Amino acid sequence: MPQPLNYLKETASQTAGPYVHIGLIPAMAGFDIFEKNFSNVLTTPNTEGERITLEGKVLDGTGTPLRDVLLEIWQANAAGRYNHPADRTAGALEQEFRGWGRAGSDFESGLVTFETIKPGAIVDKAGRKCAPHINVWIVARGINIGLNTRLYFSDEEAANAADPVLNLIEQTARRSTLIAKRSDRAGKVVYSFTIHLQGPEETVFFDV
Amino acid sequence: MNAQAPVLRDPRLNRPEPLTPPLGDGGFFQRDRSIHPPAHAPGYKSSVLRSPRQSLLSLEGSVSEITGPVFGHNDLGPLDNDLIRNYAKDGDPVGERIIVHGRVLDETGRGVPNTLVEFWQANAGGRYRHKKDTYLAPIDPNFGGCGRALTDDTGYYYFRTVKPGPYPWRNYVNSWRPAHIHFSVFGSGFAQRLITQMYFEGDPLIPVCPILTTIPDKDALDRLVAPLDLNASTPFDSLAYRFDIVLRGQRSTYFENRTAGN
């Protein structure tokens, strides 16, 4: 018997429950408690880059929108740089742009929105250029362990076709489940997405 | 489960000092999914329509996953980790006063410093302050039920609250949740993001909870049960429970202040 490695085990995940709003977005639960709240608006007036609205829903196996879901997004700035010391890429850091946002779905419609900027392309460890994307994390009642996925942009066809992660998806038809569709709405750029938790259009989720 | 552990700082690790993480090229340890609940767990009915059925796509940690949001003291208010006072209007909340404390560690036993831990819970009667909660237990006017803290340099966090009550829910007709506190933890990379729940030692509802028992591994389930920690209690004021949280292990990552390697 060799020496034990003595690594600890990761703490097991549990559902965020139906009342996830209480802790993470208490204003949605119906009360005001924190002086400073986290929000779905990532931009400040000084943020570089193209302003975009992300707008979408998460659907269950019957096609019904989840109305109690919480999404977090994590993204690079317009120069393709994550606001974190482990990002060694060349893009310029913007201190004010955290690159992270949190949103609950509307209790009636299930709509989730973020106000942010379109991220720049990043370069991976192998030196390959990655298509611009936004990382998404999904928790809700009934989701036992948070789901990781990504959103890419419909107007980046060439970059998406070369993206090393999209190209890992063997069933090419499923790649489109990660692509948000661009539209213009009264001068505002909106990217629409639908996340399917199950069914023939099930979104590609990652084991990261 | 570790009440007899000889070392207070790292009660799950049978040695006094944290292990040194192995060297590598960044990224996280592979997640051991066998200790997490499966997505599709029919005993917990809400998971049936909300569980992906396709295989997850395995992705080697890229810069998108090994990085994550950074929070600081400017994000928090002075009472954010005191649930006894952070929503008090005209007195203290009703219930058993408790301290919850512990460390956020990674799988190598290293404390995760300066990371955000958020928590939320029902009041002593088992009622959440949420416009969608209609349970008959009363709302406590002096209790909000949420808080947050940053871990210190060693990964340590603590907060003060009242012990939440158990409550019924619509899974089976007679399903009851054990008393629990929800935890949301960040870590240093987005791939470490975790939401879990802490339970209380000795609660008879633990073995019959359809949510808690989605976890297939008995030891993993036990690790969500916080032991009573009398040594950390405040005499004539609060009992204490100890809850350590372990996030994904981290291979060596680049830090600007340690460019020569970790």
Side-chain angles (χ1 to χ4, degrees):
Chain A
M1 188 71 182
Q3 296 179 12
L5 282 168
N6 276 358
Y7 287 121
L8 302 180
K9 297 276 193 185
E10 191 183 14
T11 298
S13 174
Q14 289 276 265
T15 174
Y19 303 131
V20 61
H21 318 88
I22 287 188
L24 305 187
I25 26 179
M28 273 194 80
F31 66 110
D32 182 29
I33 182 165
F34 296 137
E35 291 171 21
K36 291 162 189 161
N37 289 289
F38 301 123
S39 85
N40 62 336
V41 178
L42 283 73
T43 50
T44 68
N46 301 326
T47 308
E48 304 277 342
E50 182 184 28
R51 292 327 194 246
I52 63 170
T53 299
L54 288 178
E55 186 180 277
K57 292 183 180 180
V58 181
L59 308 185
D60 73 11
T62 69
T64 306
L66 272 58
R67 293 169 300 164
D68 57 1
V69 68
L70 181 134
L71 267 62
E72 288 183 1
I73 60 172
W74 167 239
Q75 65 170 96
N77 66 18
R81 172 81 182 258
Y82 286 98
N83 192 346
H84 187 280
D87 184 351
R88 287 184 257 190
T89 53
L93 186 61
E94 285 172 67
Q95 290 294 352
E96 265 190 42
F97 183 72
R98 176 141 56 193
W100 171 82
R102 170 184 282 172
S105 60
D106 182 87
F107 286 137
E108 301 302 322
S109 67
L111 202 67
V112 182
T113 60
F114 290 96
E115 301 296 333
T116 184
I117 52 102
K118 193 172 167 189
I122 59 166
V123 176
D124 73 7
K125 277 189 293 196
R128 298 171 300 191
K129 203 167 175 185
C130 304
H133 63 271
I134 290 177
N135 308 287
V136 182
W137 187 69
I138 304 159
V139 291
R141 169 179 66 96
I143 294 178
N144 279 329
I145 179 166
L147 297 169
N148 290 85
T149 185
R150 289 183 173 191
L151 291 177
Y152 289 84
F153 300 93
S154 64
D155 55 324
E156 296 281 351
E157 275 183 42
N160 292 343
D163 182 75
V165 171
L166 283 174
N167 279 297
L168 282 178
I169 303 168
E170 180 188 351
Q171 300 83 6
T172 50
R174 296 192 72 209
R175 295 176 189 174
S176 64
T177 64
L178 303 184
I179 300 190
K181 289 187 181 56
R182 181 180 178 115
S183 61
D184 280 291
R185 196 183 299 164
K188 226 166 70 162
V189 178
V190 179
Y191 284 94
S192 308
F193 64 92
T194 307
I195 291 168
H196 295 261
L197 296 179
Q198 283 177 12
E201 297 175 89
E202 183 177 309
T203 297
V204 174
F205 298 105
F206 298 110
D207 185 7
V208 294
Chain B
M1 59 169 285
N2 284 294
Q4 292 84 34
V7 180
L8 182 62
R9 281 172 63 89
D10 285 297
R12 299 224 170 92
L13 196 62
N14 193 21
R15 55 173 75 184
E17 295 300 324
L19 291 165
T20 304
L23 291 171
D25 191 25
F28 292 100
F29 291 9
Q30 180 174 301
R31 175 167 263 161
D32 177 358
R33 295 220 168 234
S34 71
I35 58 171
H36 292 284
H40 179 70
Y44 171 32
K45 293 181 181 178
S46 298
S47 76
V48 171
L49 285 172
R50 295 180 166 203
S51 44
R53 302 300 167 88
Q54 306 290 329
S55 299
L56 303 180
L57 182 72
S58 295
L59 198 59
E60 188 186 358
S62 74
V63 68
S64 301
E65 286 79 31
I66 66 168
T67 59
V70 177
F71 301 94
H73 289 282
N74 289 341
D75 291 308
L76 306 185
L79 291 180
D80 282 5
N81 71 338
D82 188 351
L83 281 68
I84 289 181
R85 286 169 63 209
N86 70 6
Y87 199 76
K89 303 297 180 208
D90 57 6
D92 286 342
V94 172
E96 195 181 327
R97 296 157 68 90
I98 61 169
I99 292 161
V100 178
H101 73 132
R103 287 178 75 201
V104 179
L105 305 165
D106 75 6
E107 287 170 287
T108 66
R110 181 171 61 174
V112 183
N114 308 315
T115 198
L116 185 67
V117 181
E118 297 166 283
F119 21 86
W120 67 100
Q121 63 169 93
N123 67 24
R127 172 84 178 260
Y128 284 99
R129 180 176 288 279
H130 192 293
K131 53 188 172 189
K132 297 283 180 186
D133 189 350
T134 56
Y135 180 40
L136 54 77
I139 288 279
D140 183 336
N142 291 313
F143 190 68
C146 60
R148 48 198 188 178
L150 283 180
T151 60
D152 71 9
D153 290 346
T154 67
Y156 184 76
Y157 74 91
Y158 67 95
F159 61 97
R160 190 166 80 136
T161 184
V162 295
K163 191 174 177 186
Y167 57 85
W169 59 298
R170 297 183 188 287
N171 188 67
Y172 304 120
V173 172
N174 198 16
S175 291
W176 294 75
R177 298 286 345 264
H180 62 276
I181 299 177
H182 296 261
F183 276 74
S184 165
V185 191
F186 276 84
S188 61
F190 206 50
Q192 282 178 308
R193 194 77 182 80
L194 182 74
I195 278 183
T196 189
Q197 299 176 30
M198 180 202 109
Y199 302 87
F200 293 85
E201 179 182 13
D203 190 330
L205 290 169
I206 287 174
V208 295
C209 173
I211 287 181
L212 184 47
T213 53
T214 54
I215 298 170
D217 182 300
K218 173 73 168 61
D219 292 336
L221 188 151
D222 286 344
R223 288 193 292 268
L224 297 186
V225 182
L228 177 71
D229 184 358
L230 262 186
N231 289 339
S233 70
T234 309
F236 291 95
D237 185 330
S238 302
L239 285 172
Y241 288 86
R242 168 120 189 165
F243 185 51
D244 287 345
I245 300 162
V246 180
L247 301 180
R248 302 276 293 279
Q250 203 168 359
R251 300 190 172 90
S252 178
T253 48
Y254 175 88
F255 287 101
E256 285 174 340
N257 60 348
R258 284 187 284 177
T259 48
N262 297 312

